[in-house]
Amino acid sequence: MRVVEVRQPGGPEALQIAEWPVPAPGNDDVLIQVAAAGVNRADVLQRRGHYPSPPGAPPNPGLEVAGHVVAVGDRVSEFKAGDAVCALLQGGGYSEYCAVDVAQVLPVPGKLNLIEAASLPETYFTVWSNLYEFAALERGATLLVHGGSSGIGISAIQLAKALGSVVLTTVGTDDKARFCEQLGAQHAINYKTQDFVAEVDKLTQGRGVDVVLDMIGGSYLARNLQVLAVEGRLVMIATQGGTKGEIDVLRVMQRRLKITGSTLRTRDAAFKRRMKQKLLEHVWPLLASGAIRPVVDEVFPLAQAAAAHARMESSVHKGKIILQVA
């Protein structure tokens, strides 16, 4: 099978087409003929040599795919050959075939095509686990999402709005601000021309937000704490702005703030199985009905993975970047 591998860490040109054997499914696995694979920031980090696949996972990039089942392991009864599915992976999505634990495989919701379905697993596993499991976001609460035009951002905005929260977001251009407001954000703040702390204070009449979903990290830490309401929760999912920042401990104590964070890739199958059931119950019906929708920015052939990574690193995209495999 064709795969995209990283022969030496580096820029987008480090992504090269290679020929690898088709993997054999284990007893609990589903073998998928991949039609499309989502491109994520974690793939960029892996290409640069900073985020390798966990032990036992394929060493090439790719954390989410969609395609058709071609074989299943002896203990798998949930899917059969020919089923249209999408899946969360620990690696190996930039390939024509992948084998993945059935706990991480979901049916394609509604009438979505495989390009759209490939944009779902990594984002919605991440958004659900962080907003609803760790941060306990509730109906009527106010959420601030940083990076609203990213794949995570558009999913968080739409899902939180659909489940009854008020959503604010930050973006880097006025065009992206209008885009996010059309998706359901009550207000989008251009962080290049506005101070998001002052804007949140004004928009919430000084109360602050209940939850911040942050993918910037260290450089935003102090300001994120400033915008949290009493008993607010900060949940961090990436470190684009560095890994270190300062905490005003007294503010955390006085306002009873909670700070948490997570990575998804190394979580065990039991956790992912539980998140899968939550998605099937709460999110997949919204996707099937059209109440929330995938947003695909651009589709690249598998052989143009380098161009896909260059587009992601440019930060001009709005929505998910997808590799078309078949």
Side-chain angles (χ1 to χ4, degrees):
M1 66 174 182
R2 290 184 308 146
V3 307
V4 173
E5 65 177 10
V6 181
R7 293 175 185 169
Q8 292 291 333
E13 69 282 355
L15 299 172
Q16 300 289 328
I17 291 288
E19 294 282 338
W20 289 8
V22 174
N27 289 334
D28 297 306
D29 290 347
V30 173
L31 180 64
I32 300 170
Q33 184 173 14
V34 177
V39 177
N40 292 279
R41 288 277 178 186
D43 303 338
V44 172
L45 290 176
Q46 181 169 351
R47 189 202 73 220
R48 293 174 181 168
H50 302 314
Y51 193 37
S53 297
N60 62 316
L63 298 178
E64 58 187 346
V65 299
H68 290 98
V69 175
V70 293
V72 298
D74 293 341
R75 292 195 290 261
V76 175
S77 59
E78 186 177 347
F79 298 102
K80 63 183 185 305
D83 287 347
V85 297
C86 55
L88 177 74
L89 311 177
Q90 290 184 303
Y94 293 10
S95 305
E96 289 185 311
Y97 293 87
C98 67
V100 56
D101 192 302
V102 68
Q104 299 166 219
V105 182
L106 300 100
V108 172
K111 296 181 180 179
L112 297 187
N113 63 44
L114 294 175
I115 295 289
E116 294 168 323
S119 75
L120 302 177
E122 171 71 12
T123 49
Y124 279 107
F125 270 90
T126 298
V127 167
W128 185 270
S129 61
N130 284 283
L131 288 186
Y132 294 96
E133 296 293 311
F134 305 146
L137 184 65
E138 298 176 336
R139 181 175 293 275
T142 302
L143 166 69
L144 173 63
V145 177
H146 289 302
S149 62
S150 66
I152 294 291
I154 61 174
S155 300
I157 289 169
Q158 291 187 88
L159 183 60
K161 176 65 186 294
L163 296 181
S165 294
V166 175
V167 185
L168 310 177
T169 190
T170 62
V171 292
T173 69
D174 291 340
D175 177 57
K176 288 182 177 181
R178 304 293 81 78
F179 169 75
C180 290
E181 288 170 354
Q182 291 169 1
L183 288 176
Q186 185 183 72
H187 192 84
I189 302 161
N190 184 339
Y191 64 83
K192 292 183 178 178
T193 60
Q194 298 172 291
D195 177 0
F196 78 79
V197 175
E199 290 299 311
V200 168
D201 186 70
K202 181 172 63 178
L203 291 165
T204 63
Q205 291 78 51
R207 177 184 178 276
V209 300
D210 299 290
V211 175
V212 174
L213 180 64
D214 175 63
M215 55 192 77
I216 306 302
S219 63
Y220 268 24
L221 179 57
R223 288 190 287 166
N224 281 332
L225 296 181
Q226 285 183 276
V227 303
L228 284 175
V230 173
E231 298 189 346
R233 288 86 73 197
L234 167 62
V235 57
M236 296 176 285
I237 59 171
T239 58
Q240 294 179 35
T243 60
K244 296 182 180 180
E246 291 190 353
I247 292 176
D248 183 340
V249 176
L250 186 59
R251 185 176 186 86
V252 173
M253 294 165 60
Q254 290 175 332
R255 297 178 74 84
R256 302 186 297 280
L257 305 179
K258 295 180 180 179
I259 303 170
T260 187
S262 73
T263 59
L264 180 61
R265 193 174 196 177
T266 57
R267 296 301 298 262
D268 62 23
F271 174 83
K272 291 171 182 175
R273 185 178 294 107
R274 185 160 62 85
M275 291 306 99
K276 168 182 167 177
Q277 294 307 315
K278 295 288 187 180
L279 295 183
L280 290 173
E281 180 180 353
H282 299 286
V283 179
W284 256 228
L286 296 173
L287 287 161
S289 70
I292 61 178
R293 60 185 178 87
V295 178
V296 173
D297 172 79
E298 191 166 346
V299 180
F300 294 84
L302 183 67
Q304 294 180 20
H309 274 224
R311 181 163 181 82
M312 171 155 282
E313 291 180 289
S314 74
S315 293
V316 300
H317 61 289
K318 293 184 290 188
K320 289 302 291 276
I321 299 167
I322 302 294
L323 294 177
Q324 188 165 12
V325 181

